[in-house]
Amino acid sequence: AQKVTQAQTEISVVEKEDVTLDCVYETRDTTYYLFWYKQPPSGELVFLIRRNSFDEQNEISGRYSWNFQKSTSSFNFTITASQVVDSAVYFCALEDMDSNYQLIWGAGTKLIIKP
Amino acid sequence: NAGVMQNPRHLVRRRGQEARLRCSPMKGHSHVYWYRQLPEEGLKFMVYLQKENIIDESGMPKERFSAEFPKEGPSILRIQQVVRGDSAAYFCASSPPGGPYQETQYFGPGTRLLVL
């Protein structure tokens, strides 16, 4: 069965520090998609990235970067030089053929950036 | 291009009442999904619809919950005879005609349902 594990329930760092949010997934499919979403205190869900299982290149977008390691079934998310506005809950999610188009979500990591 | 719209943003109901949650997908999107987020948890899939069709309702509770996406108008998630355990944030997402496996799902702001 598919599963997404975000072992870090809450992380607290001081502004300008780098922080990595871990995501480990389980799937039997060879074709799948991985996602990260941000949920700020206002509650909406903000799409950050969608990654195909065949594309193992790391991705960088500004201060955000993602490290996809198929060998360890991980899709970790790093924020460089964190800012207070990065404070939010971050969710990792998996979509594969077995899930019939559903997104399987991790429990989320609450990130607190202190000034 | 407006994003996914959901209303109301907050809904308070007493036990036994009905709750109707509305979702208008992004322009050009024909696939709608409903997810539920219980407090301090991740989202859980409920139902996937296309216009006038329910494609997958495997995540919907068997009783009291129903969803529709009519030819005209928004998608509606309906909860009859609400109970306290229905209190949650309900998110709607939409994707373009390519389908859920080809396209990203974009989420609305959610409806927070509180059952007293």
Side-chain angles (χ1 to χ4, degrees):
Chain A
Q2 310 91 337
K3 187 178 177 182
V4 176
T5 301
Q6 293 180 256
Q8 303 148 310
T9 307
E10 184 174 306
I11 300 174
S12 181
V13 300
V14 177
E15 201 173 18
K16 296 197 177 74
E17 286 185 15
D18 299 348
V19 58
T20 295
L21 309 181
D22 297 334
C23 173
V24 174
Y25 60 92
E26 294 175 30
T27 176
R28 287 174 296 189
D29 268 347
T30 54
T31 304
Y32 50 89
Y33 289 93
L34 295 163
F35 300 79
W36 277 94
Y37 284 88
K38 174 182 179 180
Q39 188 175 41
S42 50
E44 73 271 25
L45 283 163
V46 179
F47 167 77
L48 296 178
I49 191 170
R50 176 179 189 252
R51 172 51 55 89
N52 182 305
S53 57
F54 294 112
D55 181 4
E56 289 193 70
Q57 267 195 325
N58 290 332
E59 176 128 357
I60 298 174
S61 176
R63 296 184 297 107
Y64 294 171
S65 62
W66 290 269
N67 183 358
F68 179 26
Q69 299 268 353
K70 237 173 165 176
S71 58
T72 56
S73 296
S74 65
F75 187 43
N76 295 339
F77 173 34
T78 297
I79 302 175
T80 304
S82 60
Q83 300 174 3
V84 173
V85 292
D86 296 327
S87 297
V89 180
Y90 289 86
F91 291 97
C92 179
L94 164 73
E95 180 185 36
D96 65 12
M97 299 298 280
D98 275 351
S99 68
N100 198 26
Y101 318 125
Q102 302 171 26
L103 287 177
I104 310 299
W105 295 75
T109 296
K110 184 175 183 180
L111 178 63
I112 300 169
I113 310 296
K114 294 187 262 191
Chain B
N1 188 10
V4 179
M5 310 287 283
Q6 286 188 252
N7 68 81
R9 295 290 302 274
H10 299 273
L11 182 61
V12 179
R13 285 287 178 265
R14 296 193 180 281
R15 279 181 298 169
Q17 291 184 320
E18 179 180 287
R20 278 182 180 245
L21 287 61
R22 293 176 190 77
C23 169
S24 297
M26 286 177 72
K27 190 176 179 182
H29 287 194
S30 54
H31 302 257
V32 165
Y33 319 80
W34 286 94
Y35 292 83
R36 178 165 64 176
Q37 183 182 28
L38 294 171
E40 310 296 323
E41 293 187 14
L43 280 70
K44 296 284 194 295
F45 169 81
M46 299 182 75
V47 62
Y48 160 41
L49 311 105
Q50 295 178 25
K51 288 277 186 184
E52 300 184 282
N53 276 311
I54 296 175
I55 306 303
D56 180 357
E57 56 182 349
S58 58
M60 288 276 271
K62 293 285 184 277
E63 295 175 352
R64 302 186 298 108
F65 284 72
S66 62
E68 61 176 13
F69 188 16
K71 191 176 178 183
E72 301 291 337
S75 174
I76 307 285
L77 178 66
R78 184 178 174 213
I79 311 172
Q80 294 177 288
Q81 298 173 327
V82 295
V83 301
R84 289 219 174 102
D86 296 332
S87 295
Y90 292 82
F91 286 93
C92 168
S94 72
S95 67
Y101 208 61
Q102 286 81 40
E103 301 288 345
T104 296
Q105 297 177 27
Y106 291 91
F107 284 80
T111 293
R112 272 117 190 113
L113 172 65
L114 176 62
V115 180
L116 301 176

